[in-house]
Structure formats: structure tokens, C-alpha cells
Amino acid sequence: MSQDPSAPPPAPGPTPVPSISEKQAEDLIHGICFKTGPPRLLGAELEWLVLDAERPEQPLPPERLRAAHTAARALPLHSRVTVEPGGQLELSSAPATSLSGCVDDLQADLTAVRAALLAQGLVLRGVGRDPRRPYRRLLNSPRYDAMEAYFDRTGPAGRAMMCASASVQVCVDAGYDEPGVLGHGRRWRLAHLLGAILVAAFANSPADEGPYAGWRCARQGIWSDLDTRRALAPPLDAEPRTAWTRQALDTEVMCVRSYEDDGPWETPPGTTFRDWLRTGGHPALRPPTAEDLDYHLTTLFPPVRPRGHLELRMIDAQSGDDGWLVPVAVVHALFDDPEAAETAYRVAKGLADSYGTHPAPRNPLWRSAARHALTDPELRASAKACFRAAAEALPRLGASTHVRDTVGAFTERYVLRGRCPADDWSTQVLTGKEARR
């Protein structure tokens, strides 16, 4: 049948997006995830629970959480404000060229956010795991609906991760392409071995019941139990780019985004991204695009995530006004001061046998860090050496007196005594006294 020339043209459909091949996907991961060069930038992402100042043990109504988020977003901040699925508030610094620049901007932003929330009778709480039940998801979106459905296949850890966990994430540059103390291969290996020391020293999510009873860092237990691959490190002895590319492509697709505004997001069970590239993996799936790959990478949660830089994700949120700056300063010193980095790598190499062949966080070294923290003699000795090296490096890095004193006080209170922040809590996980610290 011929078309009536006077009829209006058909409404345009969605513009086709070119699909990618397996080789193109591998090349993209290489380019996206490891941008090498001289280490010069530092960043941090601080996640916080939002609690009632007078009744911190009580869950907040959704409307009070949303009002807190609105108040924070309305402030003129240096940091980017985002909200996690359970209502946790996150401040993400801009990349800074110095420790002072990173810390000063975050301190100013936190002061402003705390004042705005206190006017509503609310406080920020630095703790790795919220013990309150039941878990309540505040955010409803296709991403989080699909994420929850995916994680529910393997148990409750996914909902706990989404709604009840908080961390201090420190971001450092990947490093030089060449070998050496600041080379990306050594920094990648250092991050995974040193990561167990950071878990132990900053453990701040104790549990006295449930599957992680007795653990000082129950948050690591949650991440370990997410699924069979998504939150695991790749093999440590493989070349970093090759290992991460294989890990990313051989991990299941969490969801496939719909091009329709209100369309459902598919959650194809058992389909890896490599399956999707090779065969479509599932009759309902369209061919994958570069945007799909980029999105897939955001759904991977290993303890060290390469995103051009290295994102260290294993540190619990810290208590107190300034507790967060200790891991930021220590990580910066141990990665970006050449002398301290050499000491840290020498110490970390001594942990390789305990790390073994299993991926973090499921190997004996990381599990001991999460369960026992610095009561583990090997981790305690390693932490002492690393914190001593960091303290010596901080003046060379231009750290302020306040930063140096705060790191020193933490070292004296915890590291030198074989303790961690979780040990302060005993069995009282959330009390009025703790919430006001």
C-alpha cells in the first residue's frame, strides 16, 4: 500500500547505538580503568549514617531523611553530595593536588552539612555498619530495584550492603606504567596486601549476633557474601590490566537498562558480560554497547576498584568529627611518598603467604583482619610499621599540624595497643553516647 504524502511522518524511534565486540570491550576496559602517569591527585568519598540527635537508635522516617538530603544538597559545597539506597549521605571530594587541599575542602563541607542537619535535630554518624533493623531502602529507581532483585538471589547481604553500610573510600592515582616504587603494578599489589592492614586498623563495624557475630569489621563479611564474583579481587599475581579485564567480563550482568523511560530493566540470571558480547546471552537482550560496558563496571564492587585511578573501598566509616581524615592521610602517605611507599611495600610483601591464592576479601589474611583486627599479631606488627612510616612522611607531604596530631592520636590509641575503633564499642553498638562522639 502506498503512503499518503499528506500524512505526517512517523515519530522517530530511538537512535540506534552501535554495539561493541569482545575485543573492543577489552580495549575499552584497558583504557578506562588504568590511566597511568605520575601520582599527583588524591580524593576521598565519605559515607555517613544520618541519625536523630536525641534518639540515634531509632530509624528515621523517610521524610526526615529526604529533608536532610535536600538541606545538604542546597549548600554551596566543594564536594559532590549523593545519597545511598538506605539514605546514607555521601560527600565525594573533587580530585586534589595535595593532602591539605583534599582535607580542608572536606572539613569545610562537613562543618556546613553538620550545621544544616543539626538545625533539623539530626547528626552524621561514622560507622561501617548500621545495626538497626529492618533494612529500609529509601531510594526507588530502576537501578536499585534491579540491584535488589539481583542480590536477593544469594541472600540478605545485598540489602545490608545497600541500606546499612558506610565507608571511607580513598582514591589515589594508578601510578607510572614503568616498574618501580610508584609503578602501577606495584601499587596494585600494594593496595590488596595493605588493604588487610587498613581493614584491621580501621575496623568499625562490630557485630554481636548473626552470621558475623564477634567480627570487628562485619562490613567486610557483608561484602564477601554478596555473590560468587562481583565483590572479589582478581588474582593478585596476574598483570593488573589483564586480570581486571577478565574479572569484569566474566562477572554476571546485574541488569540491562531499558531505553524506555518507564521500561523494566532486565536482570538475566547467569549471563556474564562476555556471554552477552559473544552470543547475546539471552533471547531478550539487545546487543551490548560501550555505554552498557561502562555501566556494568559501576556494578562491580571489589575491594580495590580501578577507575582510571585506584579506589580503595575496604575502610569502614570512622567515628568522631575527624576520624575520617586518618585513613585519607595514611593511605596518601603510604602510596604517594616514595620512602613511605617503599616501607609499606616491604611490609606488605611479608603478608603475601597469608594472603594465599584466594581472592580478597575471602582469603585467610582478609578474614583475620575482619574478624580479629589488630589482635592478629602479624597484622598488628605490620600496622605499626606502616603507621610509623606514614607519620614520618606526613611532614614531607605538607600535612598540617592538625592532621599529624590526629593521625598520631589514632596511632597511640589504637595501633600501638593492638586495638581498633570497634573495640571501643564493646557490645553497645549504637548508644546515645556513641552517636555524639
Side-chain angles (χ1 to χ4, degrees):
M1 182 182 295
S2 62
Q3 183 176 355
D4 181 356
S6 64
T15 303
V17 180
S19 60
I20 57 172
S21 67
E22 188 172 346
K23 177 63 166 61
Q24 288 173 317
E26 291 173 346
D27 291 344
L28 283 169
I29 295 174
H30 277 227
I32 291 169
C33 295
F34 286 93
K35 292 182 172 68
T36 53
R40 62 185 186 88
L41 297 178
L42 172 70
E45 300 174 15
L46 312 179
E47 296 173 344
W48 305 88
L49 304 183
V50 180
L51 305 180
D52 186 282
E54 298 300 324
R55 295 175 296 279
E57 73 284 353
Q58 295 296 320
L60 283 177
E63 59 271 16
R64 291 194 70 192
L65 278 172
R66 293 191 180 98
H69 303 151
T70 299
R73 287 180 171 133
L75 297 169
L77 304 177
H78 304 280
S79 308
R80 182 168 59 96
V81 177
T82 53
V83 178
E84 295 297 304
Q88 309 96 308
L89 190 71
E90 178 177 280
L91 294 182
S92 300
S93 75
T97 57
S98 68
L99 175 62
S100 295
C102 180
V103 167
D104 291 350
D105 284 352
L106 280 169
Q107 281 184 318
D109 290 346
L110 279 168
T111 298
V113 171
R114 285 178 172 131
L117 266 58
L118 191 59
Q120 300 184 17
L122 303 172
V123 293
L124 295 178
R125 174 66 164 126
V127 55
R129 170 180 171 268
D130 187 346
R132 297 173 298 178
R133 299 291 189 278
Y135 301 134
R136 291 183 170 91
R137 179 157 64 95
L138 179 71
L139 301 185
N140 292 300
S141 69
R143 173 184 172 90
Y144 293 126
D145 292 346
M147 184 180 291
E148 184 175 276
Y150 174 89
F151 283 129
D152 280 352
R153 297 172 187 165
T154 54
R159 293 195 182 208
M161 178 275 287
M162 294 171 67
C163 301
S165 68
S167 68
V168 173
Q169 298 175 20
V170 186
C171 302
V172 296
D173 280 328
Y176 290 101
D177 221 7
E178 299 80 11
V181 65
L182 299 181
H184 85 278
R186 180 182 280 202
R187 286 162 75 86
W188 175 254
R189 185 173 178 83
L190 173 63
H192 289 85
L193 294 172
L194 184 65
I197 299 173
L198 299 175
V199 169
F202 297 111
N204 195 32
S205 51
D208 55 8
E209 61 182 6
Y212 316 115
W215 291 39
R216 288 168 169 84
C217 185
R219 180 174 156 273
Q220 279 301 311
I222 292 169
W223 285 100
S224 179
D225 290 342
L226 281 183
D227 72 4
T228 58
R229 194 177 185 94
R230 175 159 258 100
L232 303 185
L236 190 55
D237 290 332
E239 193 279 324
R241 286 189 178 95
T242 301
W244 178 244
T245 298
R246 185 179 299 119
Q247 180 85 356
L249 294 184
D250 291 337
T251 297
E252 283 189 42
V253 175
M254 177 179 287
C255 56
V256 177
R257 297 171 298 167
S258 171
Y259 286 146
E260 304 294 332
D261 288 342
D262 57 352
W265 289 22
E266 299 287 342
T267 54
T271 301
T272 69
F273 203 91
R274 196 184 302 276
D275 294 334
W276 192 10
L277 288 163
R278 289 180 175 179
T279 66
H282 188 281
L285 299 187
R286 52 178 169 74
T289 66
E291 289 78 10
D292 290 320
L293 175 61
D294 188 55
Y295 187 84
H296 174 66
L297 295 174
T298 72
T299 71
L300 307 181
F301 309 114
V304 181
R305 184 162 65 178
R307 304 188 69 183
H309 53 271
L310 302 182
E311 183 182 82
L312 277 68
R313 303 171 51 84
M314 72 290 294
I315 302 168
D316 278 351
Q318 297 295 291
S319 303
D321 290 345
D322 298 324
W324 61 270
L325 69 78
V326 179
V328 176
V330 168
V331 168
H332 176 51
L334 297 179
F335 275 83
D336 295 336
D337 177 84
E339 186 175 336
E342 186 63 51
T343 298
Y345 189 69
R346 186 171 62 250
V347 170
K349 281 201 304 183
L351 301 173
D353 286 345
S354 297
Y355 189 99
T357 58
H358 293 290
R362 290 184 179 168
N363 60 53
L365 179 68
W366 278 64
R367 284 197 175 275
S368 184
R371 289 175 182 269
H372 309 300
L374 296 186
T375 63
D376 179 306
E378 184 179 37
L379 287 166
R380 179 178 180 177
S382 298
K384 285 182 177 180
C386 287
F387 273 72
R388 182 165 54 247
E392 293 170 355
L394 288 175
R396 297 193 292 267
L397 294 168
S400 67
T401 300
H402 176 65
V403 169
R404 298 198 306 269
D405 288 348
T406 303
V407 172
F410 183 96
T411 304
E412 172 65 32
R413 181 174 180 175
Y414 298 115
V415 179
L416 298 183
R417 302 179 184 182
R419 302 177 68 250
C420 65
D423 292 323
D424 288 345
W425 291 27
S426 184
T427 57
Q428 299 300 315
V429 178
L430 263 181
T431 67
K433 179 180 179 182
E434 287 293 338
R436 293 169 178 77
R437 274 177 48 193

